[in-house]
Amino acid sequence: MPDDAAVARDAAEADAAFSHPAVPPDATAAYGEHPDQVVDFYEPRIRTETPAPLVVVLHGGAWRAPYDRQHITPFADFLARRGFAVANVEYRRGSSIPVQGEGPVAGRWPETFDDVAAAFDALPGLVREFLPSADPRRTVVTGHSAGGHLALWAAARHVLPVGSPWRTERPAPLRGVVALAPIADFRVARDLGVCSGAVVQLLGGEGQFEERVPHADPAALLPTGIATAVVQGRTDIVVPHTVSESYADAAAKAGEVVGVTLLEDVGHFPLIDPAADACAVVAEEIAQLAF
């Protein structure tokens, strides 16, 4: 268990990251009929003669209903101010009704995955219409925490088991993925109790875990053939860095190199805090893949 000092530091970092006001998008478009099936678009604040790289953002929050895309809009705006075109994807999360008094359930099976797959399938057309400043040929996907899981999963749909409803026949045309403190190995995350058992809830309960892990766990969906980097705080107590390291080890065993950048004296939330140095590191990792 984290000591009191670590818990206090994590709370202070979370307060700092969530202290920024939400930044409204330049446009919003639906990719489905549900209110959560929407994408917010941010034009690059630095305009050039050539289209800007596109960054697709997937927010975290343990796939739970109280945490929507609004908390990551300052990060999306931060990327836009760095010259990127940004698509901030919303998706259906767990019910807001507490489970046995423990709080909101994490995610919906299969709706959370349905939505991410549908959003990515719809993005090329939506970007052409609502974000013409973007260059889809230079697309990087990023996501934080549970969103980091979804970013890795979205890039791995072509290696999903045959018969999966989300499987694609070929890899997505991505420059790469930058996953931020991702829940990237479900077995390790389960064993560590990450986010109060969120991965088990996401898959519908312990009885469904083994059956559904091959369809949902990034550590089981390797190699992808897509450049992948992980940025992680070494002092993260929300998603410990051992989860990312286990994913990188699984990639290595599959013959793929995943770079893991461990930031000293950084926890979970500075990665998406525009005022934190860690956020600048994230932007640089994205730029290395995009440009």
Side-chain angles (χ1 to χ4, degrees):
M1 293 292 292
D3 58 29
D4 290 345
V7 171
R9 175 174 178 164
D10 176 70
E13 290 177 337
D15 287 344
F18 296 151
S19 67
H20 306 283
V23 180
D26 296 303
T28 299
Y31 63 86
E33 296 182 356
H34 191 277
D36 286 334
Q37 294 175 320
V38 294
V39 183
D40 288 341
F41 295 105
Y42 294 80
E43 297 280 355
R45 309 309 185 210
I46 302 171
R47 302 304 292 266
T48 63
E49 294 182 357
T50 58
L54 173 65
V55 181
V56 182
V57 174
L58 291 151
H59 70 82
W63 311 284
R64 291 189 167 114
Y67 309 101
D68 63 14
R69 71 192 185 283
Q70 295 305 314
H71 78 268
I72 210 167
T73 60
F75 174 72
D77 178 67
F78 174 82
L79 295 177
R81 288 187 280 113
R82 290 294 186 109
F84 297 105
V86 181
N88 184 18
V89 176
E90 188 58 279
Y91 51 90
R92 281 176 285 182
R93 304 168 308 287
S95 169
S96 59
I97 300 173
V99 178
Q100 298 178 347
E102 296 180 357
V105 69
R108 301 187 194 183
W109 181 278
E111 289 89 348
T112 298
F113 297 92
D114 288 343
D115 287 0
V116 173
F120 274 79
D121 290 346
L123 265 176
L126 295 178
V127 167
R128 284 193 298 270
E129 182 175 357
F130 294 96
L131 197 61
S133 59
D135 182 357
R137 297 169 301 178
R138 293 187 290 162
T139 298
V140 175
V141 182
T142 191
H144 179 240
S145 195
H149 156 260
L150 294 173
L152 295 170
W153 181 85
R157 290 171 61 198
H158 59 291
V159 293
L160 282 167
V162 174
S164 168
W166 309 301
R167 180 182 167 95
T168 58
E169 293 303 314
R170 56 183 60 87
L174 303 175
R175 284 287 180 91
V177 180
V178 179
L180 313 178
I183 305 177
D185 186 315
F186 276 17
R187 298 185 190 281
V188 173
R190 178 186 60 176
D191 292 345
L192 293 174
V194 166
C195 299
S196 302
V199 294
V200 175
Q201 292 178 12
L202 174 68
L203 299 189
E206 193 65 54
Q208 305 288 344
F209 188 85
E210 293 298 332
E211 176 186 348
R212 292 176 175 174
V213 153
H215 298 266
D217 183 6
L221 299 173
L222 291 161
T224 67
I226 294 173
T228 301
V230 174
V231 183
Q232 176 86 48
R234 191 178 288 276
T235 59
D236 191 335
I237 63 172
V238 179
V239 184
H241 61 81
T242 51
V243 178
S244 291
E245 291 170 332
S246 180
Y247 172 74
D249 289 345
K253 291 176 183 177
E256 195 158 75
V257 176
V258 169
V260 178
T261 299
L262 288 176
L263 303 179
E264 298 294 334
D265 300 319
V266 170
H268 192 64
F269 296 98
L271 301 175
I272 59 167
D273 181 354
D277 292 341
C279 202
V281 174
V282 169
E284 182 57 32
E285 290 281 348
I286 293 171
Q288 287 183 18
L289 292 174
F291 287 104

